[in-house]
Amino acid sequence: MDFLRPATWAEALAAKAADPTAVPIQGGTDVMVEINFDVRRPPALLDLTAIGELGDWELTADGLLRVGAGVPYARIITELGDRLPGLAQASRTVGSPQIRNRGTVGGNLGAASPAGDAHPPLLACDAVIEAESAARGTRMIPATGFYLGVKRNALEPDELIRAVHLRPATGPQYFSKVGTRNAMVIAVCSFALALHPGERRLGAAVGSAAPTPLRARAAEEFAAREFDWSGATALDPALLARFGELAAEAASPIDDVRGTAAYRRHAIAVLARRTLTWAWNDYRGKAAA
Amino acid sequence: MTQTARGTGSDLGVGAGVPRPDGLLKVTGEFAYSSDLYLADMLWGATLRSPHPSAWIRAVDVGPALAMPGVHAVLTHEDVPGERFYGLEHKDQPVLAIDQVRYQGEPVAIVAADHPETARRAADAIVVTYEPREAVTDPRRALFDPGCPKVGPEGNLVRHQPVRVGTVPPTAEVVVTGEYEVGMQDQAFLGPESGLAVPAEDGGVELFVATQWLHVDQDQIAPCLGLPKDKVRLALAGVGGAFGAREDLSMQVHACMLALRTGRPVKFVYGREESFFGHVHRHPARMRYEHGATREGRLVYVKAEIVLDGGAYRSSSPAVVGNAASLGVGPYEVDNIHIDAYGAYTNNPPCGAMRGFGAVQACYAYESQMDRLAEACGLDPVEIRVRNAVSQGSRMATGQVIDSPAPLAGMLRELAAMPLPGSSCSPDLRALPGGVAQTTHGEGVRRGVGYGVGIKNICFSEGFDDYSTARVRVELLGDEPHILVHTAAAEVGQGLVTVQAQIARTELAELADLGAARVTVAPADTSVGSAGSSSASRQSYVTGGAVRAACVAVRERLAALRAEHPGLGPAELLRAHGPVEETREYRHRPTHPMDPLTGQGDSHVQLALCVHRAVVDVDVDLGLVKVVELAAVQDVGKILNPPALEGQIHGGSAQGLGLALMEEIQVRDGRVLNPSFTDYLIPTILDMPPMRLSILENPDPAAPYGLRGAGEPPTLSSTPAIAAAVRAASGLALPRVPIRPQDIALAPAAPAR
């Protein structure tokens, strides 16, 4: 196996163009496990850890946060937790402290596992993935169009993930994940919610309950249509219940060793109701203040 | 928040909190485990395993593997130099599969190559032609359906042990029945099976290996290699946990075969996934219980049928069945008992020893029954247990009289009187079910409290000649007195090395008090007699007893020498006389087989009690559980080393928590679905709560220092205590462990209470 270690982003893009089968590696928390288990044997690894700018984040001119593909979960929690609370909450549930020190959102996107913890908040927050290739330059891919299938994403063979672009939170955000133990667990299912009160809508996304992470579109449309976005009133229990049902209907879960399809559907409805309650209460509290 | 009655003793003797010598090395990553063994010219072994739970082997072609560069040997059953079968109690397991495979993961061929990767690829290159056949995976069917295919040599019954006491009346004032199920738990040790076999100049082999019992390995390996035992020499390598999973052989014979064939050292290290196929597991159990009692909650009778799935080979299943039967009603006085305990052969993964050994499964069922009985009688769960509790002088189900202190009622009262933890209105997510995954901010969370009681036999039972050997040598080294303790007892992480040194210091205090005596515990190997197994909570008792006996013998020799040379201190005596060395075997009192028809007999050496109270918060909507606190009272007779003992109780309780809430090897159609630590979950520090302990020291006069084995009892009682607490919180029956989230969240009936 070749081990490529470019020193600059341009070199990395060139290397990927020269050998599109090279697998990018950042924290190694996913790629190394797969190699260890002999799940795959890439002909080459493309180590991106020497490229300093991948570990940076910045506020762009148009007010978006551009988070480099190499920013580890631990730094998202400590440095961006106030502006990206949903993603930070999801980051907090990833693995162990050691894994959070190494693992990255870029790696989560590259692996595109349906159980990846970062995906639901990216979807709920309308994140856009910045991909780049030596031949065609930069391409912006909305998260909603990024996940194509189980461990398949929209990247071209010669493309690398440069960064993720996210708007700083415009309202309350929550992430919830069900696992069979209280830490260090892969999602049985998960749910992310981001309120955008200024736009009188919310983003809602489901993880680990379908071949890909996905948005709960019907639930989002229901919320935009039916909720009292003035923030003057509490949500009627019937609205909450319906929102939970619509979120669960978005999923197409399976039975596997981590849980049953029926349980996943049930749990997503519970998580959707709860996160919405928390977010709505936060919003009303702020609206009243 | 640990409270402990401290033992007494000198600073470094019995009862002192002497730190373990391997502790710092382990937490800093410096400890050399068996997987770290290395010789410059060694080869790497790999194993080809069956993908089928049941199949005929029609052909094996090793040619493609042999043709690979770097491959030094590829061996099959035809290359086994001696006997082709081995086993702990019965030689029914082939070293390498012969004409058939009986479980997924059964070894079929082995490879030695100059690189581990090459060895694995060569193993994959072996072509085996299988003819899959029907796998027997339902233990009840295996036992009771005459048309079921036979997995075992003489059928599918490993052992049937009845217990018959009194006459079971057709009914009682209060009757509760229940069917219970225990899933397949894994020992989940962190150090995978590994070892290094080195060919010796005398035609023999030296094996450095992580095991629980060097001599029983030697007894099984030597015949398979066709060698006399003195040509198969074993030394203990660093053991990364055991819990029963290292009682059976794994890579031992394979490594020796390859070393003898190639003339090179051969090392095996199983990967994590392979490890799940490389050792036996805890027997899954299906149990039917019926308890009859008076309205006042006094037990009148217990009827039980216990079916234990032993999987494809015998391993220690017969003894596990014996424990389930003899301990099947728990530590309660019952006049009328009708138990049938069965062990079955199936094509599921082989099951054998795991901490608690047959007592765990029964304990979950009888404690679940006691709670149901309490409810039916309108009694508190503690009260019903107190009313039926055994005490010294009580008869067990086997008719054996408990002849040392067994203050169960008092232990329960003490436990119930311990303060309860406050309610968790903490904003810290880590205190809530689901933890930082933020599944609740308190919604759906209900508190529950439950109790569990367990009784475990200590040491080997049913007439087994269970002994240990210790050699103790006192000499001057560098003109200073030095004590050398040598046994073959396996330090598997429990702290036995420390305890051996403590015993030597206490028994040879005369020398230690010189202030200069150093104590060395020699590495365990087969150049000294057998110490028996590091299992059945027996090593402090039996090897402790042997070390004490050898020390006493040395002390007496020194006293005799002193009488001959009055006026000389120990150092002068040793200088004049030279080293003093004594070897002693220690046997606990004899035990007797259970009557095959009635189960009666004094089958156990010693019985140990532990009681747990669990406090849990359950998110009843999602089925997630946070164990808030575990409290335990355990009678250990005598505390040898307080922190080591507390560690055993904490660890045993954690393993019981795992069984209650998450640990299960999921098997479908004979195939393991989750052979990884990604999907076989063991408790983390956020799952295992702080413990409140009360450790009692009511001595057993028959045991060294009055001690009572301590490692297993907490593993029994924590599981039913947690299950009871989850039931109390949810109002659900929950007749199966581990309790899965969907068992709570999708329970068919709405909470009844």
Side-chain angles (χ1 to χ4, degrees):
Chain A
M1 185 187 299
D2 290 329
F3 191 76
L4 313 173
R5 196 156 196 274
T8 65
W9 181 241
E11 280 178 36
L13 292 174
K16 184 65 171 157
D19 182 0
T21 64
V23 172
I25 180 166
Q26 183 66 247
T29 59
D30 199 78
V31 172
M32 289 311 297
V33 172
E34 295 214 320
I35 291 174
N36 220 356
F37 283 172
D38 219 358
V39 175
R40 62 169 169 179
R41 285 293 160 124
L45 286 179
L46 182 60
D47 175 18
L48 301 175
T49 55
I51 301 162
E53 65 257 42
L54 290 181
D56 295 336
W57 60 265
E58 61 184 324
L59 198 57
T60 62
D62 50 357
L64 295 180
L65 282 162
R66 179 176 184 249
V67 182
V71 177
Y73 294 112
R75 285 181 51 213
I76 289 175
I77 298 165
T78 55
E79 298 171 21
L80 296 170
D82 54 344
R83 279 160 287 181
L84 302 175
L87 185 60
Q89 290 165 23
S91 300
R92 181 68 187 82
T93 75
V94 173
S96 60
Q98 295 91 331
I99 296 292
R100 292 194 289 276
N101 284 337
R102 288 201 62 91
T104 62
V105 175
N108 227 205
L109 287 164
S113 158
D117 292 320
H119 307 316
L122 295 183
L123 287 165
C125 300
D126 308 304
V128 177
I129 291 93
E130 177 186 342
E132 194 172 340
S133 61
R136 298 175 309 284
T138 295
R139 181 164 73 109
M140 303 301 285
I141 311 169
T144 41
F146 188 78
Y147 309 103
L148 301 185
V150 176
K151 300 200 173 186
R152 281 197 303 120
N153 60 30
L155 291 180
E156 296 297 334
D158 62 345
E159 280 181 324
L160 291 172
I161 299 168
R162 172 63 185 84
V164 180
H165 296 243
L166 292 132
R167 182 171 306 283
T170 58
Q173 298 185 350
Y174 281 99
F175 174 79
S176 270
K177 163 174 132 181
V178 170
T180 315
R181 71 181 167 196
N182 290 314
M184 278 177 69
V185 69
I186 291 186
V188 173
C189 59
S190 64
F191 188 79
L193 188 77
L195 256 54
H196 307 292
E199 300 169 39
R200 305 177 74 81
R201 66 174 186 96
L202 56 74
V206 171
S208 208
T212 67
L214 47 82
R215 289 183 83 136
R217 296 270 189 205
E220 291 179 350
E221 288 159 12
F222 174 78
R225 193 173 63 238
E226 303 287 340
F227 292 4
D228 169 15
W229 285 97
S230 73
T233 54
L235 286 178
D236 185 272
L239 288 179
L240 275 169
R242 183 63 188 144
F243 182 77
E245 282 170 20
L246 290 170
E249 283 170 15
S252 50
I254 55 167
D255 290 342
D256 66 15
V257 292
R258 293 172 198 151
T260 62
Y263 174 77
R264 287 184 161 104
R265 268 207 194 84
H266 166 86
I268 287 165
V270 173
L271 297 183
R273 290 199 303 268
R274 287 184 181 174
T275 52
L276 177 58
T277 304
W278 305 332
W280 199 258
N281 287 345
D282 290 354
Y283 169 48
R284 288 188 64 217
K286 210 162 270 175
Chain B
M1 205 199 300
T2 294
Q3 297 166 349
T4 308
R6 296 280 166 184
T8 56
S10 66
D11 282 355
L12 296 170
V14 168
V18 180
R20 49 191 308 152
D22 53 339
L24 189 62
L25 294 171
K26 283 179 174 167
V27 297
T28 53
E30 298 292 314
F31 185 81
Y33 290 98
S34 53
S35 50
D36 298 318
L37 291 163
Y38 187 84
L39 282 175
D41 60 340
M42 72 184 185
L43 301 173
W44 294 82
T47 311
L48 175 68
R49 297 174 181 277
S50 166
H52 304 289
S54 181
W56 294 109
I57 295 176
R58 293 307 182 202
V60 179
D61 180 6
V62 301
L66 272 175
M68 290 173 66
V71 172
H72 289 249
V74 182
L75 307 182
T76 69
H77 71 93
E78 292 175 348
D79 302 297
V80 178
E83 293 180 17
R84 292 194 293 174
F85 294 89
Y86 70 93
L88 270 179
E89 295 187 22
H90 180 84
K91 295 186 175 185
D92 68 339
Q93 191 152 1
V95 172
L96 291 166
I98 298 169
D99 60 338
Q100 57 188 304
V101 288
R102 295 182 179 85
Y103 71 96
Q104 182 201 18
E106 180 160 2
V108 175
I110 48 176
V111 176
D114 55 13
H115 190 277
E117 181 67 27
T118 309
R120 280 193 292 272
R121 298 209 164 200
D124 289 343
I126 298 167
V127 181
V128 184
T129 310
Y130 294 101
E131 186 183 314
R133 59 191 183 193
E134 181 191 354
V136 177
T137 57
D138 177 349
R140 273 197 204 280
R141 179 172 172 242
L143 287 170
F144 304 126
D145 175 0
C148 184
K150 305 283 178 255
V151 179
E154 284 123 31
N156 293 333
L157 178 64
V158 176
R159 178 178 178 183
H160 169 213
Q161 180 59 58
V163 177
R164 302 284 187 265
V165 178
T167 51
V168 172
T171 188
E173 287 172 346
V174 180
V175 175
V176 292
T177 60
E179 294 199 16
Y180 302 95
E181 193 176 335
V182 174
M184 184 186 287
Q185 190 179 18
D186 190 64
Q187 299 85 351
F189 51 48
L190 295 186
E193 294 84 348
S194 45
L196 177 68
V198 184
E201 287 185 359
D202 66 352
V205 63
E206 278 157 16
L207 178 64
F208 303 85
V209 66
T211 182
Q212 287 178 239
W213 186 357
L214 290 166
H215 283 80
V216 85
D217 282 10
Q218 184 187 37
D219 288 347
Q220 294 173 89
I221 298 165
C224 295
L225 299 177
L227 289 173
K229 270 203 279 184
D230 62 359
K231 290 206 168 174
V232 179
R233 296 171 287 270
L234 275 73
L236 189 69
V239 181
F243 313 109
R246 296 188 208 272
E247 252 190 20
D248 296 76
L249 295 183
S250 57
M251 43 56 67
Q252 284 91 329
V253 180
H254 301 161
C256 293
M257 281 172 61
L258 289 167
L260 291 170
R261 173 64 72 101
T262 61
R264 300 266 293 268
V266 174
K267 174 175 171 173
F268 269 82
V269 183
Y270 289 179
R272 178 58 57 198
E273 179 173 346
E274 184 173 23
S275 178
F276 275 96
F277 297 96
H279 60 255
V280 298
H281 316 291
R282 189 191 297 292
H283 291 72
R286 297 185 202 177
M287 299 169 284
R288 292 176 177 158
Y289 268 77
E290 180 179 320
H291 279 56
T294 65
R295 276 191 199 90
E296 294 72 40
R298 288 285 312 187
L299 285 171
V300 175
Y301 71 88
V302 174
K303 278 171 71 175
E305 181 197 83
I306 301 168
V307 173
L308 298 159
D309 184 351
Y313 293 103
R314 202 172 181 91
S315 181
S316 48
S317 286
V320 170
V321 171
N323 268 10
S326 62
L327 304 171
V329 300
Y332 300 114
E333 292 192 328
V334 198
D335 290 337
N336 305 292
I337 300 170
H338 185 109
I339 295 177
D340 289 292
Y342 301 90
Y345 280 110
T346 65
N347 293 116
N348 290 323
C351 290
M354 181 175 172
R355 195 178 200 169
F357 203 78
V360 162
Q361 295 91 330
C363 181
Y364 166 68
Y366 64 66
E367 284 299 275
S368 300
Q369 283 286 98
M370 292 305 280
D371 285 334
R372 300 191 59 180
L373 198 58
E375 194 175 347
C377 294
L379 290 173
D380 177 83
V382 173
E383 181 57 29
I384 193 139
R385 288 171 169 84
V386 166
R387 286 187 188 183
N388 293 287
V390 295
S391 57
Q392 186 167 1
S394 297
R395 264 177 206 288
M396 297 287 296
T398 55
Q400 182 165 9
V401 173
I402 300 177
D403 61 357
S404 78
L408 179 56
M411 291 165 72
L412 278 161
R413 289 202 181 94
E414 181 180 351
L415 182 68
M418 287 183 181
L420 283 163
S423 70
S424 58
C425 43
S426 163
D428 187 342
L429 290 172
R430 291 175 298 182
L432 289 165
V436 295
Q438 186 172 233
T439 46
T440 180
H441 289 173
E443 300 92 334
V445 176
R446 296 190 207 161
R447 171 75 43 107
V449 179
Y451 290 84
V453 167
I455 186 163
K456 178 68 182 57
N457 57 317
I458 305 301
C459 303
F460 281 23
S461 296
E462 298 192 65
F464 193 88
D465 181 23
D466 189 21
Y467 69 97
S468 181
T469 315
R471 183 183 298 153
V472 174
R473 177 184 176 95
V474 177
E475 62 193 317
L476 286 185
L477 289 179
D479 214 36
E480 288 176 354
H482 179 260
I483 302 164
L484 180 70
V485 180
H486 189 189
T487 74
E491 168 69 68
V492 298
Q494 79 276 48
L496 183 64
V497 163
T498 317
V499 163
Q500 291 182 63
Q502 288 177 263
I503 290 172
R505 285 195 184 277
T506 291
E507 297 303 330
L508 297 170
E510 214 177 317
L511 292 166
D513 286 349
L514 288 176
R518 285 175 293 134
V519 178
T520 301
V521 178
D525 58 34
T526 50
S527 70
V528 62
S530 175
S533 182
S534 287
S535 54
S537 306
R538 65 180 282 288
Q539 283 294 22
S540 291
Y541 193 130
V542 188
T543 292
V547 171
R548 184 172 73 161
C551 288
V552 168
V554 165
R555 200 170 69 206
E556 286 169 354
R557 285 266 313 277
L558 285 169
L561 284 172
R562 191 175 306 177
E564 289 170 26
H565 306 281
L568 291 188
E572 288 89 351
L573 276 177
L574 290 170
R575 196 173 297 121
H577 176 271
V580 173
E581 180 180 294
E582 291 291 340
T583 302
R584 287 291 180 276
E585 279 182 3
Y586 177 84
R587 281 176 167 74
H588 57 65
R589 59 183 177 173
T591 60
H592 304 281
M594 296 172 75
D595 183 281
L597 298 179
T598 66
Q600 300 303 289
D602 291 349
S603 62
H604 296 312
V605 180
Q606 188 186 53
L607 294 155
L609 293 166
C610 183
V611 299
H612 271 91
R613 182 186 72 196
V615 180
V616 305
D617 282 340
V618 180
D619 181 338
V620 295
D621 297 329
L622 289 173
L624 302 179
V625 178
K626 169 75 181 176
V627 181
V628 176
E629 188 199 76
L630 282 172
V633 182
Q634 186 169 344
D635 191 343
V636 303
K638 165 73 182 171
I639 300 174
L640 303 186
N641 184 318
L645 174 67
E646 289 166 15
Q648 285 294 309
I649 300 175
H650 293 156
S653 302
Q655 219 150 13
L657 183 154
L659 179 59
L661 297 176
M662 61 186 82
E663 290 191 42
E664 181 176 9
I665 295 184
Q666 298 181 46
V667 181
R668 188 187 301 148
D669 302 329
R671 289 186 164 84
V672 175
L673 303 179
N674 56 337
S676 75
F677 281 162
T678 305
D679 286 314
Y680 183 90
L681 300 181
I682 53 179
T684 70
I685 198 163
L686 283 185
D687 299 285
M688 179 64 193
M691 285 197 73
R692 192 185 288 276
L693 299 184
S694 171
I695 301 173
L696 310 181
E697 295 186 280
N698 293 297
D700 177 349
Y705 305 107
L707 72 83
R708 202 171 271 112
E712 290 171 287
T715 314
L716 272 60
S717 44
S718 75
T719 305
I722 292 165
V726 176
R727 288 182 189 125
S730 65
L732 298 168
L734 303 174
R736 181 189 195 282
V737 286
I739 299 168
R740 299 160 294 202
Q742 62 259 31
D743 297 336
I744 299 170
L746 300 185
R753 286 180 217 174

